Amino acid sequence: MQQSASTPAKKSGRSGPAKKSAAPAIKPPVISPQESRTALVRRARRINRELAEVYSYAHPELDFENPFELLVATVLSAQTTDLRVNQTTPRLFAKYPTPEDLAAAVPEEVEELIRPTGFFRAKTKSIMGLAKVLRDDFGGEVPGRLDDLVKLPGVGRKTAFVVLGNAFGVPGITVDTHFGRLVRRWKWTEETDPEKVETAVALLFPKSEWTMLSHRVIFHGRRICHSRKPACGACPIAPLCPAYGEGETDPEKAKKLLKYEMGGFPGQRLKPPADYPGKPAPPLAAG
């Protein structure tokens, strides 16, 4: 029973059970609206270093064995999750393992295989179209140049940089919805056009960091800094974030918002890399 405020507390010879101390609140960052260019670069690079510690295992979240599989999987990932793509592509690649095989496929059969990813008719047209171009113009090989990749059906700069960075080791910044949202929250840029975002962020970092920076930012956006309700109270870079407070700041409540391995749940890959600390995703039948 709660003691009345007017009733004096009884003294006891022994102390009662210690109260559970609340997690310390994160101090809101103090970032000047007139932040200098030098200060911005320093803050951006510090955020990258912090994310590198939290997501030391950051990686592409699409399952793939070669550049062709990564290219097709990335095209299929539009308007759906990487998890759904990973649950769908094993059957697709088992039947059509090469560009030549996919180029000669029956469209209706491809549509049925990729139906779970959504927009399956348009995506079938894109992946069969790019397979035909690879077969006819590139000897059945995925090119390792940006100018060649963006000429393929369904392939824009974002898809091209995913393939270049992760299949060919060519640095590039992948501006997806997560990346764009976070860099604007962090005030790295106010741009909304993906190419302008890419250009602005590229100027803040050495080229050697571009690919891994993209993975780390996207990981953070999927796990902690969500679009509708970011888990500010569980964010490792909160002291560096101008948008701190847009989401849940209570540490215990924020922990409940964490996703994938951060929240103890399966990740998006059925075949994650060896250093991934979370659980593999279930196949489609088990999902």
Side-chain angles (χ1 to χ4, degrees), residues 208-227:
S208 59
E209 286 290 313
W210 290 354
T211 298
M212 288 309 302
L213 170 72
S214 300
H215 288 319
R216 294 164 190 153
V217 173
I218 292 169
F219 258 56
H220 193 61
R222 286 175 171 169
R223 287 150 177 79
I224 296 178
C225 196
H226 313 134
S227 58

Side-chain angles (χ1 to χ4, degrees), residues 2 32 45 71 88 131 228 266:
Q2 186 174 3
S32 170
R45 294 186 180 187
L71 177 61
T88 302
R228 293 185 180 178

Side-chain angles (χ1 to χ4, degrees), residues 170-187:
V170 177
I173 292 176
T174 303
V175 182
D176 71 351
T177 56
H178 300 286
F179 192 96
R181 178 178 75 252
L182 267 61
V183 299
R184 284 188 289 273
R185 279 181 176 168
W186 296 335
K187 304 298 182 185

Side-chain angles (χ1 to χ4, degrees), residues 133-144:
V133 175
L134 293 178
R135 178 195 64 189
D136 298 341
D137 298 345
F138 295 99
E141 299 292 333
V142 176

